[in-house]
Amino acid sequence: MVLTKRSWHLPLICQICGDKARGMNFEVMTCMSCKAFFRRHALQPIYFLQCQHGNNCEITQLTRGNCSACRLRKCFSFGMNPKLIRYKSKNHHHHHHRLLKNKNQRLPKPPPLNLLENDSSTLTNIEWNLLSNITHVYDRENPIEHAKYMLEHQASLPPKLRSKAKSTLDIVEYYYSTIQSFLERVPYFHDLSIDARRALIQHNSFTLGTYNSLLLIRETNAFDYSSYKFGCQNLYGYENCLMTKKFITALEQNRTLVKIMLLITAFSENCSIVSLDYSQSMTTMASTISLFHTQNILVSMLWKYLNYQYGFLGAAKCFHSFIQYVLNLIRWTARNPSTQHSDMVDTLIENTTRSLTMHD
Ligand SMILES: [Zn+2]
Ligand SMILES: [Zn+2]
């Protein structure tokens, strides 16, 4: 199903309690109250909170204060990410330490404005909306759950089938195909002309698919499954698996950011500096202009979001490392470690091109 322009601009509502939302917090669109609640409770041991009513309390704006156990469970089930709290509390600790050290010398400077605390962002409502929709559109088919299911299925196969290259390649193919359904649901994509769509798919799919694979491998702990691990070593070689692990370690922790970056990469004009086929370039000025327009919307939104999360310097650092990361990824994927893999991706790109350029 394709989102219409109308459903793309839903009102901003807290996913946990239904109150008026104030932006993406820990990767989910929430109100200030649920944001503060999650920060306070998410890192506590789980037995700290207990439900008095059988673990199925309804959480609304009025009832959210009644049962912390159910509220916290709901936060986790909607994908609020506790890793992002650690990021903040580490800074907090550091700051505290500095205050103690300075105690005997002179009065410490007032603490810097904490941008995570500060809800006055420069993002417009439309931009918050866009941000929330990008993550929902990505999650719509639960790619992480599905990938986990495939890994478990592979592990349950008899040894002979399990160790066939095909069984690992099927999973990798799924990583790449999620990108197609993601793009299909983004209205901006359908605003582009057919030749622009074709050029984007042809130029960016390899990098995008690899980028998405890294996210899914990390989120499913795929290398913990020995069938998958050995399958990858057979397909791509040991060195490439090591390299994959390095890329995963360096991958941005904030899944919302990874999803935005996937989309920005998808709308970039060319992510295949090596195997560029110029016959697939955009042919008309109008295509180029409408692509610039989308790029502009996405990048301004990313920049404001980074500013909101990390402050100006943090945002600059994050942006810089994103570009660096994608460039390294492009260089790495150009080395073409396996013919089976590139044949699989080529077929997928052909199919994607056909289905995304035929009709609206
Ligand atoms: Zn709420
Ligand atoms: Zn409860």
Side-chain angles (χ1 to χ4, degrees), residues 241-257:
C241 291
L242 275 186
M243 203 55 192
T244 307
K245 283 181 189 159
K246 277 188 191 158
F247 270 105
I248 290 174
T249 312
L251 182 66
E252 170 60 50
Q253 279 292 350
N254 185 333
R255 286 171 302 206
T256 303
L257 274 179

Side-chain angles (χ1 to χ4, degrees), residues 5-16:
K5 269 278 151 62
R6 197 151 169 224
S7 58
W8 187 250
H9 295 296
L10 295 165
L12 299 174
I13 283 185
C14 173
Q15 299 291 300
I16 310 303

Side-chain angles (χ1 to χ4, degrees), residues 24-27 35 81 83-89 91 112-118 121 123 128 218 251-258 260-261 301-322:
M24 296 291 282
N25 299 301
F26 309 113
E27 305 189 355
K35 172 189 175 184
N81 186 354
K83 281 184 194 156
L84 304 178
I85 301 176
R86 243 174 265 137
Y87 173 86
K88 188 229 156 199
S89 57
N91 282 357
L113 183 68
N114 187 336
L115 285 139
L116 282 168
E117 232 40 278
N118 176 17
S121 70
L123 279 101
W128 275 124
R218 181 184 74 189
L251 182 66
E252 170 60 50
Q253 279 292 350
N254 185 333
R255 286 171 302 206
T256 303
L257 274 179
V258 176
I260 301 171
M261 287 161 177
M301 181 202 64
L302 170 68
W303 179 250
K304 288 180 187 176
Y305 177 68
L306 287 175
N307 242 306
Y308 166 73
Q309 287 283 33
Y310 307 116
F312 184 80
L313 276 180
K317 250 184 233 162
C318 192
F319 202 76
H320 173 82
S321 61
F322 162 58

